[in-house]
Amino acid sequence: VSLREAPEALRRLPIDVRPNPAETVASYIQRLANANHLRSGYLRAYLCGPPDYHGSPDLERLAAVSGRPVSVLRRALTNLPPAPPIWLQDVTDPAVRAVGRKVTSSGKVSFANREYAVGRDFAGEMVQVTCIHSVVQISQHGKLLRAWPRRHPPAKDASIQPDRSHDRGELALDQAARLAPLDDLATDPRVVRRRVDPNGAVSFAGRYYTAGRWLTGHVVQVRCVNGIVQLILDGELVRAWRQRHTPEREQRMLQRPNPQQRTANARPLTRRHGADSLGQQPAI
Amino acid sequence: MSDRASWQPAPDLDEADLHQHLTTLEGWRQFVADAPRPPELLPTVHWERLDAVDQRADAEARLDYHTRLTVVATSALRQVVHTGRRLILLNRHAISARRGLIVSGAAGTGKTTAIAQFGKTHELIDRQHHPGVGGPERIPVVYVTVPPVATPRMLAVEFARFLGLPITPKANITDIIEAVCGVCCDTRTALVLVDEIHNLQLSTRAGAEVSDTLKYFSERIPATFVYAGVDVDRAGLFAGTRGQQIAGRFGLIATVPFPYAAEWQGLVATLEGALRLHHHRPGTLVRLDRYLHQRTGGMIGSLSHLLRGAAIEAILDASEQITKATLDGVGLDHAAQQRHRSRARDRAGTAGTRRQHQAAHS
């Protein structure tokens, strides 16, 4: 291992600078450099990393020298490169050549244009599907759930694609619950209430997130944690989406809730506005 | 290895590692915060009733304790701390020509320990005066060592490395010095400890430039500078024009080997009291104080090494006590061994001469 390849120990800068909400990366690096009496171009080059110290600053290097976690920087800073699709990590193991699939509401998964049953109990959850020796195996967290004889032609194996629901930004419920647990739901100040519109969607920080038509008229809790927008009904996660709104828009929304939000917050949470057990006015 | 994978965040150093990294801010802060508590020495009856696993754990804790350097408030250490504190107060409102301190002496006389304890004392006092303003807002003490064959850039990089400022191969010395001075001023640095100053040779061009860089730092940073090195007065630090300037601003405290006197006996007694051995009889080492002085030549570093080595040996061989035989089995540094042999030869020669004289008279 040459000196150039030797691991470089990144250390925190001596003077701490807090990132401002919705601040650009360049602005934060500039303030960080000024506080530590460094030229901003020098610090920016250092954050790009060896060997060329050229290009765009590396977020993890910035986190190391600023002493702040990557998640905090992602929440505070704008114009950052998109987060890596961490929900795809489970399905990219080349050793077993497995792909991830989300179980449909009917308890099935689609694999090579054929459907294989898993069970309704797993509806909405992510499972791993692999085909070995003409047997389609469906597993979850390393535990085998079901196995079926191959129904698709062998030539289809090469064209099997990962779960397409990720392309739309939807997350499996078990993964979303694992990445952003609901433990602190009761005390989380970021939770807002939204009524599902006739199209089955809710508006959150200037973006629409689909809840499902079957929830039309329900008031659901919505929050954004770790880049995941969670839609919760009666304490249970019903849908989860990758964050599409900007952090500053969400912050503005939380600081100044609109009249609909204030009204929703003032009313008790009900499953359906016409079916309030207390016989009160419909929500919203 | 990919470029992105060629770096990693600084690993969390455990306490043992941090003691070896005084030249980084994190290591220095750990050293300042570190207050090792000696392990409780169980009564012998209880200790003998422990099962094998518990006895091993007890031995491991005591081994770890004896590997640490026990700091004894010697007269030299007290003098460095008192003089240094007085200088910091004197320099508080000085705008230039601040006074400094040089700690000089032979190897193993406790120079680094003295200035490190002085720095620790000052930082603790500073924290008391500014409670709640901790962390990166204040860096009251900077500790650097002069690298061998140093150049001005290497010295500036040492300062930057202590503070945690990023250094790339393209960094020029002007930018590094500017950043170091700016950060030190902003963080209210009041004490700069420069160790291994004997690596600085004023007779060479690079050494003279390093000396000028140090002087520039002392002009830019409103702090008291304390140097420590091996026999710097004889190594030419005060020679020439630059040396005269240093001599005019810096006081000198010489750390010398302890003479065989009451302080040495007190030192041995203090170190013996710090031992954690089950069968060791208190007073054994005090009775061997002359032997210890002959073995170590009065060097506190050698004495500490000898006693800690003997304590570890006593735990490992389960004897749990230090005797003269145990001490004989512990090897010392080459300088101490040489001194011991030459004195033994001198004694043997003196005794032989006496015998010859007595034989001639008879």
Side-chain angles (χ1 to χ4, degrees), chain A residues 8 11 14 37 39 42 48, chain B residues 4 8 26 136 161 166 168 186:
Chain A
E8 176 191 2
R11 291 176 55 205
H37 298 268
R39 287 189 294 110
Y42 176 80
C48 294
Chain B
R4 291 291 182 218
Q8 57 185 16
E26 296 84 359
R161 198 166 66 84
T168 65
D186 286 354

Side-chain angles (χ1 to χ4, degrees), chain B residues 133-203:
Chain B
V133 191
E137 281 74 21
R138 290 187 76 86
I139 305 175
V141 180
V142 170
Y143 178 93
V144 295
T145 58
V146 179
V149 202
T151 62
R153 188 180 187 280
M154 288 165 70
L155 184 71
V157 167
E158 283 296 312
F159 275 85
R161 198 166 66 84
F162 178 87
L163 296 170
L165 292 169
I167 301 297
T168 65
K170 296 176 183 175
N172 62 57
I173 184 172
T174 311
D175 289 343
I176 299 173
I177 289 179
E178 199 62 33
V180 167
C181 294
V183 169
C184 285
C185 291
D186 286 354
T187 54
R188 307 290 189 269
T189 299
L191 178 61
V192 177
L193 305 172
V194 184
D195 205 354
E196 312 292 339
I197 196 74
H198 53 267
N199 286 334
L200 195 154
Q201 300 290 336
L202 287 186
S203 54

Side-chain angles (χ1 to χ4, degrees), chain A residues 180-199:
Chain A
L182 299 180
D183 303 338
D184 58 341
L185 189 63
T187 57
D188 192 349
R190 293 168 294 186
V191 177
V192 298
R193 295 176 183 179
R194 291 286 186 273
R195 196 181 71 176
V196 182
D197 67 11
N199 293 323

